[in-house]
Amino acid sequence: MSLFLAKRWCESPLLRRALQFKMCKRKIQQDNMTYTLWRHRWMKRLPVLCSSRMASSQTGKETIDLSKFPVERIRNFSIIAHIDHGKSTLADRLLEMTGAIVKTDKNKQVLDKLQVERERGITVKAQTASLLYTYKGEQYLLNLIDTPGHVDFSYEVSRSISACQGVLLIVDANQGVQAQTVANFYLAFEAQLAIIPVINKIDLKNADPERVESQIEKVFDIPREECIRISAKLGTNVETVLQEVVNRIPAPVANINDPFKALVFDSTFDHYRGVVALIAVFGGKVKKGDRIVSAYLGKSYEVNELGLLRPDEHPTQKLFAGQVGYIIAGMKDVKEAQIGDTLFHQEQPVEALPGFKPAKAMVFAGMYPMDQSEYPALRSAIDRLTLNDSSVTVQRDSSMALGAGWRLGFLGLLHMEVFNQRLEQEYNASVIVTAPTVPYKAVLSSPKLIKEHGREEITIVNPAHFPDRSVVSRYLEPMVMGTILAPDDYTGRIMALCLNRRAVQKNMLYIDDQRVMMKYLFPLNEIVVDFYDLLKSMSSGYASFDYENAGYQTADLIKMDILLNGKSVEELTTIVHRDRAYTNGKAMCERLKDSIPRQMFEIAVQAAIGSKVIARETIKAYKKNVLAKCYGGDITRKMKLLKKQVEGKKKMRLIGSVQVPKDAFINVLKRKDK
Amino acid sequence: MIRHTARVAARALSRGLRGVSDSSSEERIENVFEPFSKQQASLYLHWPYCLRRCSYCNFNKYIPRENNDNIMTECLQRETETLLHLSQVSCITSVFFGGGTPSLAQPSTIAAVLETVSRQANLSNKAEVTLEVNPTPMGKSKLEDFCCAGVNRFSIGVQSLQDEHLKLLGRDHSYRQALQTIEEARRLCPGRVSVDVMFGRPGQSVQAWESELSELLKVCDDHVSLYQLTLERGTQLFTQVQRGELALPAEEVVAEMYQRARTTLHQHGFLQYEVSNFARHNAVSHHNMSYWKGRQYIGVGPGAHGRFVLPAEGGSVREARTQTLEPDVWIREVQQRGHGTRRRIPLSHLQLLEEVLVMGMRMTAGINHKHWEMFSPRLTLNQVFGTSTEVQELLQRGQLLLDDRGLRCSWDGLALLDSMLPALLLQLERQISLVDKGDHPSPNHASEVYVS
């Protein structure tokens, strides 16, 4: 539990943290596509915020006759990489070489449109770009589906997989295989995508492509000969990459003669035009003016505009099987363009594609305005942001200490941080964010309660709703499979850290003579707060970490109360694992002790489970607190001081007789600054 | 409104007269000043110069570059004149020469200022005229002349009875010199000598403090001020403590020193009448009492503060006034326009009551009902504080008392006054705003009625 002030976000420790995150961004990301056969593996998401882009689109005005691209001359692929291994730079080069954008020095990560993406080097919203590439006299349509950089943003693996038939797996020639490289590889591998390993940054002084090739061979079982050595920055060998995309990645399986059938793999909202849906066409064709139906809602729409993303919107007359593009059809609400929905012609209904499971929030945090007067402004900022990010769940909440606010659910920690940062940067909203918590579950044993809830297993997001042990057969906590790559010097320390976080080692492998890859099954709760920071600092920054969701496991969970002179402080109640109760309780008591000012009486700060106190700190009473000298010349200054205290007092919350400043809650709930 | 004001003034007056028959000790102190009105004020004069800087002091003081006694004398006179005129006060109830080190001033300066006061207002022979004295041989040698100039009370800054501590604090006297100064002062003004001592000094133990106290009791007159050493930003001591070169005693230790001192002095017949002040034979400082009682005072000299109404300018509201800090600038201003007032802030009714509360609660006698009513004719102490649960808790814990006499701290509560004041001020602010909104049972708007 921690919260931190979003305001302080820009200060260095947090930013640093943010940057680290990116490094760990993960696996899952990929998103890509593959597809073959009927499993669409089409693109994953990519959205497009239309409008302005920094690079000019050279093909802006020319018309592309898409009917000239039969399925055999289409390739759908994405680029996956550990953070900073050069994914976006390669994408820029590919765009330049195929004429999608003009070649200039300014093409820096063209697909990353959000300020936060450029700043943090992560891709939040995936983008797509259709490239025209001529190879051996034939023109190909290469759909590059840029992928979100973190597991948090891949919403669902199935969605990622559904869009591509192949991936470029980028590995830094200096850093070698990292945690996300591994995670990304497995995602692509499991989806049976063609994988082209690309070793980037061979121009660096310390580049050791041979070593990286042998890591790839060892870890992924891909022959070293298949690796392409490039420098995306200098453009070295990038042409080969394009050729290999054509050679090694299969064409999508789709038939232009089938009835029209398309998968919605992402959508964005435009205030002037309504919903812009990104689709992968699996069969047939669609043109302007067609009446199409959403399989999910059964509503029909007229196609107003469609086209390619190059990466700007490039309107065309039609889209054909195997192609990827955008469509605007008078949808007024993002919810109408459900991700994973199938679109078809009104006259020719088809069986819906499998679609995706909706994204599930895995990390929750309370958000409150710094001042209650800012509530309406914050509400509208959150509304606007969630319009383009339907994966954030929003629930109204209120805290006696922090006032009215919301409990937001995020796909992961980075997702949450990015959301906060956008809130701050794009909407200029300052918020208090409570520390992240995870959704627990309880399997109810009481028939009465089961009837009440309509089911046996319930999810608990708010500790206040934690059901008593007596009515529960067991509690469950969310787990993640974590991958850590680090130089072997740090193995001992990392193992101790993981053990301390209740993690179970599943695997350990030397990927070369110095680097070790470890897999651990973690309770999600153990990594949401400071795990990554600790890992980074204990490994001098060399360890990389990534994780993927790994279901729920039975856990010995208990509700821990924090008491001030015997009175429970509702907003500090937490659900903890029994083994961690003492440590957590002690830490919370200590932080409270440091943030509650001394008062005229002694204050017992206690952590308790039921009626049993497990940790205690004492705030001693003031013995003497009175200004020694107060004569005619001192009163002005004294009054100023006192008035300040009175103002502070107005903002205090009274727990019994104990006055607790708002800052105390923030200090206890916020993430620890290093 | 005029009629209303007059009525209130009359009420205050009659109450004051009634007070004569009251025989409790604090009433007797108050009676010295009756009748109590805008016609009178106390006068503070600030002498800004010191020979050296004490390591703990952040007061407004300067090391003089050259002798400018004559100019200072003129300017102090001139500003006194101007401010007395503005205040239209007819009676000065007490005069206090503070600093800085006012015992560095020439006795003739003191005499000149007092003459100026007498020319313009009634300054009774019996009015208390205090001078702060640095107990150096030079200070001692001038005491007699100060007496001749009109000073009738000395406040001697002994600070410590241990020479090594005096050195540490940057004082320029020894304990022996302090003793000689006290002796001389007592000879000149028997019963009207006060001694200042600090406790909670670096390296001081409770035991050491106790023996210092008993030593002090052997040599002091009828008034003692005991101040806890307070660490002020910007002082040498602050830096030394920050750097870890010196350590102040822990809070519990200092609290213990304070309580033992209170007990010890009580046993020796010294009644505590304020947080840091003790007197026997009723030798209280009348001048300081008038601050704590919320009376008008005029501040003269660089950086001096005042609180008074300016009828000469058509004012009816008490102002908080601060004089220009730097002596050279202040001198220029006084020469140019008769006074060096840098800041004037009219006090609202609430602000006035806040000061009355904060100052009044420092006295062991606290604020009695009559005293409060003079400033707050509409809202009684019970109306203001009776309804607050937080105040109730303070009362229940025995730290605060609200009864027939008025509102005051208990023995234990006084040491914790600053922890109670925010609660009291908050309650006062709320009740006053209710009155201002007309929500309070008292229907009349009382905010124009300032009886200063």
Side-chain angles (χ1 to χ4, degrees):
Chain A
M1 4 229 71
S2 39
L3 13 86
F4 50 85
L5 297 177
K7 242 189 191 165
R8 300 222 212 105
W9 251 67
C10 307
E11 285 169 22
S12 54
L14 280 168
L15 235 215
R16 202 181 351 113
R17 166 203 327 280
L19 293 172
Q20 290 165 343
F21 252 116
K22 54 169 53 147
M23 320 213 359
C24 70
K25 109 205 287 164
R26 132 58 43 75
K27 36 185 58 307
I28 313 205
Q29 51 195 40
Q30 26 214 2
D31 12 60
N32 329 255
M33 33 233 334
T34 297
Y35 143 96
T36 18
L37 296 186
W38 267 96
R39 313 141 79 348
H40 25 305
R41 12 261 346 264
W42 269 81
M43 4 212 4
K44 112 114 347 231
R45 60 163 10 31
L46 16 88
V48 151
L49 309 177
C50 7
S51 58
S52 67
R53 154 146 295 256
M54 314 189 46
S56 54
S57 167
Q58 150 188 350
T59 47
K61 302 268 151 57
E62 89 195 44
T63 323
I64 297 167
D65 182 358
L66 287 177
S67 63
K68 283 199 203 137
F69 295 99
V71 169
E72 308 81 68
R73 278 192 281 120
I74 295 175
R75 299 291 183 273
N76 294 319
F77 71 103
S78 71
I79 307 173
I80 55 180
H82 190 76
I83 184 124
D84 283 343
H85 281 196
K87 184 177 77 165
S88 297
T89 309
L90 178 58
D92 289 350
R93 284 304 89 69
L94 296 178
L95 261 56
E96 285 168 12
M97 293 178 61
T98 57
I101 58 173
V102 174
K103 186 169 177 178
T104 98
D105 290 345
K106 291 191 192 119
N107 287 340
K108 294 241 159 80
Q109 303 171 3
V110 167
L111 294 183
D112 291 344
K113 291 179 181 174
L114 302 176
Q115 184 186 354
V116 55
E117 292 180 322
R118 287 170 190 274
E119 264 181 31
R120 300 174 62 163
I122 52 171
T123 306
V124 177
K125 278 300 249 185
Q127 309 286 326
T128 201
S130 296
L131 316 174
L132 301 178
Y133 178 62
T134 307
Y135 179 56
K136 290 185 178 165
E138 301 257 39
Q139 200 176 35
Y140 288 83
L141 181 66
L142 308 184
N143 294 313
L144 165 58
I145 289 129
D146 193 17
T147 61
H150 193 276
V151 58
D152 289 358
F153 303 111
S154 66
Y155 302 7
E156 268 300 321
V157 179
S158 59
R159 192 168 152 205
S160 323
I161 301 315
S162 63
C164 297
Q165 289 79 49
V167 296
L168 300 176
L169 178 66
I170 316 286
V171 185
D172 181 306
N174 180 14
Q175 293 185 14
V177 171
Q178 296 291 322
Q180 267 176 269
T181 318
V182 176
N184 287 333
F185 168 80
Y186 281 107
L187 281 175
F189 182 75
E190 283 159 20
Q192 298 178 288
L193 303 191
I195 297 167
I196 304 175
V198 174
I199 299 175
N200 189 20
K201 306 193 189 181
I202 55 167
D203 56 304
L204 290 186
K205 223 176 28 206
N206 297 325
D208 188 355
E210 308 246 327
R211 176 162 156 250
V212 177
E213 282 169 5
S214 62
Q215 288 178 352
I216 288 174
E217 204 166 51
K218 172 137 193 199
V219 180
F220 304 136
D221 203 19
I222 297 175
R224 59 176 62 215
E225 297 71 31
E226 290 186 19
C227 297
I228 307 175
R229 296 182 184 184
I230 69 161
S231 163
K233 191 169 125 203
L234 305 179
T236 317
N237 258 346
V238 176
E239 181 78 28
T240 313
V241 172
L242 284 170
Q243 292 166 7
E244 293 307 305
V245 165
V246 173
N247 289 334
R248 293 197 215 166
I249 296 177
V253 175
N255 192 334
I256 197 164
N257 298 318
D258 286 349
F260 168 64
K261 181 183 208 175
L263 175 74
V264 176
F265 63 86
D266 205 350
S267 67
T268 55
F269 185 78
D270 181 299
H271 278 280
Y272 301 101
R273 301 180 299 169
V275 174
V276 179
L278 300 195
I279 59 168
V281 183
F282 280 84
K285 57 181 185 284
V286 62
K287 62 178 188 304
K288 214 169 147 174
D290 282 357
R291 284 215 70 88
I292 57 168
V293 175
S294 140
Y296 179 70
L297 291 174
K299 282 174 85 168
S300 77
Y301 303 91
E302 182 179 325
V303 177
N304 303 325
E305 184 184 330
L306 46 69
L308 293 182
L309 296 160
R310 309 216 51 217
D312 290 333
E313 288 172 16
H314 182 104
T316 59
Q317 291 303 310
K318 299 177 181 171
L319 283 175
F320 296 90
Q323 295 172 355
V324 169
Y326 72 95
I327 191 164
I328 298 170
M331 294 175 179
K332 296 277 181 282
D333 186 332
V334 265
K335 292 186 183 91
E336 293 179 76
Q338 196 79 27
I339 311 293
D341 198 0
T342 303
L343 303 178
F344 56 85
H345 269 140
Q346 199 164 21
E347 290 81 31
Q348 291 177 283
V350 299
E351 193 186 332
L353 295 162
F356 310 117
K357 280 180 264 169
K360 239 185 310 160
M362 289 310 289
V363 174
F364 290 84
M367 265 190 210
Y368 300 88
M370 289 294 283
D371 184 297
Q372 283 294 308
S373 66
E374 296 162 10
Y375 181 91
L378 185 56
R379 183 179 55 200
S380 90
I382 288 176
D383 282 351
R384 274 178 292 167
L385 263 184
T386 49
L387 209 56
N388 263 330
D389 188 353
S390 54
S391 56
V392 179
T393 64
V394 181
Q395 238 180 311
R396 289 183 60 174
D397 202 358
S398 78
S399 147
M400 281 196 263
L402 306 174
W406 301 267
R407 181 170 288 270
L408 303 191
F410 301 96
L411 301 165
L413 271 184
L414 184 65
H415 186 205
M416 178 177 91
E417 301 210 6
V418 166
F419 185 91
N420 294 344
Q421 197 171 349
R422 292 187 64 186
L423 207 54
E424 173 96 348
Q425 288 181 347
E426 295 169 31
Y427 297 97
N428 199 23
S430 53
V431 286
I432 297 166
V433 182
T434 66
T437 58
V438 302
Y440 293 106
K441 288 182 176 177
V443 180
L444 301 172
S445 59
S446 138
K448 185 167 158 254
L449 276 181
I450 294 172
K451 203 172 159 204
E452 232 169 70
H453 287 93
R455 67 202 116 95
E456 193 185 0
E457 191 176 282
I458 58 166
T459 299
I460 312 140
V461 169
N462 185 340
H465 303 144
F466 190 72
D468 191 76
R469 163 126 258 149
S470 61
V471 296
V472 160
S473 61
R474 64 204 174 103
Y475 298 109
L476 302 168
E477 68 177 333
M479 307 296 290
V480 294
M481 182 62 76
T483 302
I484 300 168
L485 266 105
D488 60 359
D489 303 354
Y490 301 105
T491 312
R493 265 173 280 174
I494 291 173
M495 288 170 72
L497 171 67
C498 293
L499 198 67
N500 183 253
R501 297 306 177 107
R502 299 193 285 130
V504 178
Q505 194 180 75
K506 293 294 182 188
N507 191 0
M508 182 160 159
L509 171 76
Y510 272 80
I511 64 166
D512 60 22
D513 52 357
Q514 287 160 20
R515 293 190 66 87
V516 182
M517 177 171 85
M518 289 169 275
K519 292 242 176 204
Y520 276 91
L521 186 64
F522 285 94
L524 175 59
N525 181 46
E526 297 290 339
I527 61 162
V528 291
V529 178
D530 55 358
F531 176 78
Y532 191 66
D533 291 332
L534 274 174
L535 180 68
K536 273 289 172 191
S537 69
M538 71 168 41
S539 66
S540 316
Y542 285 116
S544 63
F545 175 69
D546 209 348
Y547 69 89
E548 61 198 299
N549 294 332
Y552 275 76
Q553 269 190 9
T554 299
D556 191 2
L557 301 175
I558 43 179
K559 183 161 90 167
M560 180 172 76
D561 291 311
I562 298 295
L563 313 175
L564 290 180
N565 278 353
K567 286 252 164 45
S568 166
V569 186
E570 198 180 295
E571 43 275 86
L572 298 182
T573 297
T574 12
I575 299 171
V576 289
H577 191 273
R578 189 179 296 277
D579 295 351
R580 305 283 283 165
Y582 174 74
T583 324
N584 286 357
K586 183 87 184 152
M588 287 179 79
C589 290
E590 281 168 3
R591 285 214 233 171
L592 261 184
K593 181 187 176 182
D594 292 343
S595 31
I596 297 179
R598 292 171 66 181
Q599 310 199 359
M600 296 176 71
F601 42 85
E602 184 174 290
I603 303 167
V605 183
Q606 296 166 313
I609 293 163
S611 56
K612 190 178 160 219
V613 172
I614 56 166
R616 171 182 173 134
E617 292 288 324
T618 303
I619 301 171
K620 283 202 215 150
Y622 261 126
K623 288 252 170 73
K624 179 171 190 288
N625 180 28
V626 60
L627 184 63
K629 288 191 181 189
C630 194
Y631 299 103
D634 308 301
I635 180 71
T636 306
R637 181 177 167 205
K638 179 66 180 167
M639 286 310 305
K640 219 180 234 173
L641 236 133
L642 283 167
K643 292 302 278 182
K644 224 168 125 188
Q645 291 176 318
V646 169
E647 288 314 303
K649 207 173 153 58
K650 288 179 187 167
K651 294 185 188 129
M652 299 221 196
R653 181 148 135 58
L654 209 57
I655 308 283
S657 312
V658 183
Q659 314 225 4
V660 186
K662 195 161 158 183
D663 280 359
F665 291 99
I666 295 171
N667 289 343
V668 174
L669 294 176
K670 88 176 170 193
R671 193 178 302 226
K672 275 176 256 173
D673 289 333
K674 297 275 125 48
Chain B
M1 199 227 294
I2 293 166
R3 225 190 311 148
H4 182 61
T5 309
R7 207 172 50 215
V8 171
R11 230 197 298 160
L13 193 63
S14 70
R15 218 178 279 124
L17 293 172
R18 263 188 280 122
V20 176
S21 59
D22 195 315
S23 61
S24 77
S25 68
E26 86 266 21
E27 285 305 319
R28 259 182 286 128
I29 291 160
E30 186 174 296
N31 293 341
V32 176
F33 297 96
E34 303 301 346
F36 178 76
S37 79
K38 285 181 202 165
Q39 306 304 304
Q40 49 178 259
S42 56
L43 177 66
Y44 174 82
L45 286 121
H46 192 81
W47 183 264
Y49 302 115
C50 287
L51 283 181
R52 56 195 292 186
R53 235 171 266 280
C54 297
S55 71
Y56 56 89
C57 176
N58 72 339
F59 269 44
N60 184 35
K61 43 49 172 74
Y62 299 81
I63 313 301
R65 287 183 306 264
E66 53 188 339
N67 184 310
N68 60 354
D69 282 3
N70 290 340
I71 300 175
M72 272 306 287
T73 308
E74 269 170 40
C75 289
L76 287 173
Q77 284 180 286
R78 176 94 192 272
E79 192 172 54
T80 302
E81 226 169 65
T82 313
L83 297 184
L84 279 175
H85 170 73
L86 286 172
S87 70
Q88 302 206 338
V89 156
S90 57
C91 173
I92 289 299
T93 51
S94 63
V95 180
F96 195 103
F97 292 91
T101 310
S103 54
L104 291 177
Q106 296 302 322
S108 58
T109 298
I110 306 299
V113 170
L114 292 174
E115 261 164 49
T116 305
V117 176
S118 302
R119 266 202 307 274
Q120 212 157 333
N122 177 16
L123 178 63
S124 147
N125 283 344
K126 290 182 188 155
E128 177 185 283
V129 178
T130 308
L131 176 84
E132 283 181 348
V133 177
N134 227 12
T136 58
M138 207 252 282
K140 181 196 151 207
S141 69
K142 288 158 81 179
L143 293 184
E144 187 150 10
D145 291 341
F146 283 131
C147 270
C148 295
V151 172
N152 56 23
R153 184 172 180 273
F154 292 111
S155 171
I156 303 175
V158 172
Q159 312 311 357
S160 169
L161 279 58
Q162 289 177 294
D163 284 343
E164 66 274 28
H165 276 153
L166 289 170
K167 222 173 190 174
L168 192 73
L169 298 170
R171 302 291 299 190
D172 56 359
H173 68 269
S174 66
Y175 174 51
R176 215 173 73 85
Q177 293 168 343
L179 279 184
Q180 292 164 348
T181 310
I182 295 171
E183 207 175 309
E184 171 74 351
R186 292 184 69 179
R187 181 181 71 80
L188 296 164
C189 302
R192 307 195 74 168
V193 175
S194 175
V195 175
D196 286 4
V197 179
M198 289 194 306
F199 64 96
R201 306 184 310 247
Q204 192 183 28
S205 68
V206 175
Q207 215 174 8
W209 170 235
E210 284 200 297
S211 55
E212 215 169 330
L213 265 180
S214 49
E215 181 77 20
L216 180 73
L217 283 164
K218 286 185 215 152
V219 299
C220 69
D221 195 34
D222 288 344
H223 193 279
V224 177
S225 300
L226 303 180
Y227 300 116
Q228 177 182 341
L229 173 60
T230 312
L231 208 50
E232 301 285 358
R233 277 180 180 283
T235 60
Q236 189 192 335
L237 187 68
F238 185 86
T239 314
Q240 288 170 316
V241 171
Q242 288 289 99
R243 288 196 195 131
E245 296 163 11
L246 290 177
L248 294 183
E251 187 232 349
E252 305 86 72
V253 176
V254 179
E256 178 71 12
M257 289 177 177
Y258 183 60
Q259 298 301 4
R260 298 239 185 141
R262 295 172 80 188
T263 310
T264 307
L265 285 170
H266 189 79
Q267 286 162 356
H268 287 77
F270 282 86
L271 296 182
Q272 182 177 21
Y273 66 102
E274 192 260 0
V275 172
S276 303
N277 286 281
F278 303 80
R280 66 181 167 198
H281 308 136
N282 203 26
V284 300
S285 161
H286 296 304
H287 183 84
N288 290 337
M289 280 298 273
S290 62
Y291 293 137
W292 299 317
K293 295 218 155 195
R295 292 177 183 155
Q296 291 203 108
Y297 55 96
I298 297 167
V300 171
H305 288 244
R307 292 284 187 282
F308 57 93
V309 183
L310 289 95
E313 293 188 351
S316 62
V317 170
R318 189 186 283 199
E319 281 185 10
R321 296 171 68 97
T322 314
Q323 309 310 105
T324 295
L325 221 53
E326 306 80 8
D328 293 350
V329 185
W330 173 82
I331 286 170
R332 213 178 315 132
E333 289 174 359
V334 173
Q335 287 171 339
Q336 280 165 8
R337 53 186 173 105
H339 65 89
T341 303
R342 178 54 64 98
R343 217 167 42 137
R344 302 174 52 176
I345 300 169
L347 295 180
S348 68
H349 182 54
L350 173 63
Q351 285 173 315
L352 178 64
L353 291 183
E354 283 170 345
E355 294 197 359
V356 167
L357 179 69
V358 167
M359 293 306 250
M361 291 303 288
R362 293 185 64 85
M363 296 181 288
T364 50
I367 301 167
N368 67 36
H369 293 292
K370 284 176 219 155
H371 173 187
W372 183 254
E373 267 184 73
M374 276 184 260
F375 296 95
S376 175
R378 296 285 156 204
L379 275 184
T380 65
L381 283 173
N382 285 320
Q383 282 172 314
V384 175
F385 300 109
T387 55
S388 155
T389 46
E390 206 178 341
V391 172
Q392 286 303 325
E393 275 173 35
L394 296 173
L395 295 172
Q396 272 161 24
R397 280 201 297 267
Q399 288 157 328
L400 191 69
L401 302 164
L402 177 59
D403 57 18
D404 292 350
R405 280 160 66 189
L407 182 71
R408 65 194 176 281
C409 296
S410 68
W411 169 272
D412 289 331
L414 192 63
L416 294 167
L417 175 60
D418 288 1
S419 291
M420 298 195 279
L421 285 175
L424 297 176
L425 288 168
L426 184 59
Q427 178 64 12
L428 175 62
E429 184 184 313
R430 286 188 176 141
Q431 293 301 311
I432 293 292
S433 81
L434 284 183
V435 171
D436 288 352
K437 277 194 228 134
D439 293 347
H440 210 277
S442 303
N444 291 339
H445 201 277
S447 62
E448 287 87 7
V449 186
Y450 301 146
V451 181
S452 299

